[in-house]
């Protein structure tokens, strides 16, 4: 799907100090007319210039952000999100989910591969339906050390420029579940300090570009000794680089409850920061009893005073979808009872 180019923002035009002084001879001896550049070419040249300026700025000033992004609501229970196979290529899966469950999500998760730019068209459609895009950028086939060193500043500047031009709120995460071992950016492949440096570099680039409509979501996996998912403290980027904390975790057994699944990780996070917490990806395996655990999930989010939850409505190792009458009824009932995301 082709994504339309974002509209240029006047604030991104290089300042007068960056322009070449006009040669007086241009006034006296005009030459042949210069070829006009197309809009796409002009945009590319602008992004390159901004990216170069950002690189120089970050390299020589040691820039570190001291404030938070323009913020979304942080009231408990504000968000009910969903990930559905097929987005962001199409909004149709979201329409089908709403039709099947009778529930309208206000946070839409999608995963963005490295080199993929911001999906402006999908985001605009989400905004027209009252939803905020949640983008998890995955650093696939790139080294975190190279990100930290600024090697990909041009790509990040292009992404940030598109987000800024969008002008509506966007939640952005990077390298989710880094405290686990299964991802290319997990602890088996990169040290926590390198991840922190890469995270800070990304935030610095976005803020230098002026993408103040971003809420930064630092996403970890639940602490789980059996799955070798570690305590996340070493990966903490610092309070100036994070707006929200996300926790991913799934109900895999019938005996599991919210307090045991998420409680220990929430306690560790509260020792690091008082930032709002979102259950950023969750679901219930068929063998765990979806209807009962859906009720427990929503009740737990409310009792812990969390931002809300994002339901993973897809098949990945197990079928996490809300796809049977009992689960659909339980989901609809839980939303109505707790008012999460409503």
């Amino acid at each position: 799907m082709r994504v339309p180019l974002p509209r240029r923002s006047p604030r991104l035009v290089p300042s007068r100090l960056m322009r070449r002084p006009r040669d007086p001879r241009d006034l006296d001896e005009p030459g042949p007319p210069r070829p006009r550049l197309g809009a796409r070419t002009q945009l590319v040249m602008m992004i390159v210039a901004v990216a170069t300026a950002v690189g120089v700025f970050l390299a020589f000033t040691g820039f570190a952000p001291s404030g938070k992004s323009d913020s979304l609501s942080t009231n408990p229970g504000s968000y009910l999100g969903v990930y559905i196979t097929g987005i962001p290529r199409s909004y149709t899966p979201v329409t089908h989910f709403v039709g099947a469950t009778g529930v309208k999500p206000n946070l839409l998760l999608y995963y963005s591969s490295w080199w993929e730019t911001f999906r402006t068209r999908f985001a605009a459609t989400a905004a027209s339906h009252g939803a905020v895009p949640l983008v998890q950028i995955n650093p696939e086939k790139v080294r975190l050390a190279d990100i930290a060193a600024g090697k990909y500043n041009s790509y990040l500047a292009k992404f940030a420029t598109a987000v800024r031009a969008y002008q509506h709120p966007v939640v952005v995460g990077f390298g989710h579940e880094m405290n686990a071992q299964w991802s290319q950016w997990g602890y088996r492949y990169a040290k926590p300090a390198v991840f922190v440096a890469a995270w800070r570099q990304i935030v610095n680039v976005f803020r230098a570009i002026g993408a103040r409509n971003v809420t930064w979501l630092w996403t970890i996996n639940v602490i789980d000794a059996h799955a070798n998912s570690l305590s996340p403290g070493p990966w903490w980027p610092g309070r100036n680089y994070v707006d929200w904390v996300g926790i991913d975790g799934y109900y895999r057994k019938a005996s599991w409850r919210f307090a045991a699944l998420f409680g220990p990780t929430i306690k560790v996070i509260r020792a690091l920061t008082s930032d709002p917490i979102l259950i950023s990806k969750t679901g219930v395996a068929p063998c765990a009893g979806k209807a009962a655990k859906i009720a427990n999930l929503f009740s737990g989010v409310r009792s812990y005073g969390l931002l809300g939850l994002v339901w993973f409505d897809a098949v990945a190792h197990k079928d996490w979808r809300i796809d049977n009458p009992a689960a659909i009824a339980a989901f609809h009932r839980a939303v109505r009872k707790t008012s999460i995301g409503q």
Side-chain angles (χ1 to χ4, degrees), residues 195-259:
F195 175 88
V196 169
W199 176 280
R200 290 179 176 178
Q201 179 72 7
I202 292 170
V203 174
N204 285 347
V205 170
F206 271 69
R207 290 180 173 168
I209 288 292
R212 299 292 302 178
N213 53 327
V214 173
T215 293
W216 292 99
L217 178 72
W218 180 71
T219 307
I220 63 170
N221 197 69
V222 289
I223 299 170
D224 185 349
H226 297 291
N228 294 316
S229 181
L230 307 181
S231 184
W235 288 270
W236 175 240
R239 60 188 298 270
N240 288 331
Y241 293 88
V242 175
D243 297 304
W244 295 355
V245 174
I247 303 176
D248 292 355
Y250 296 86
Y251 290 82
R252 299 178 183 274
K253 297 182 180 180
S255 60
W256 287 11
R257 300 292 185 275
F258 189 94

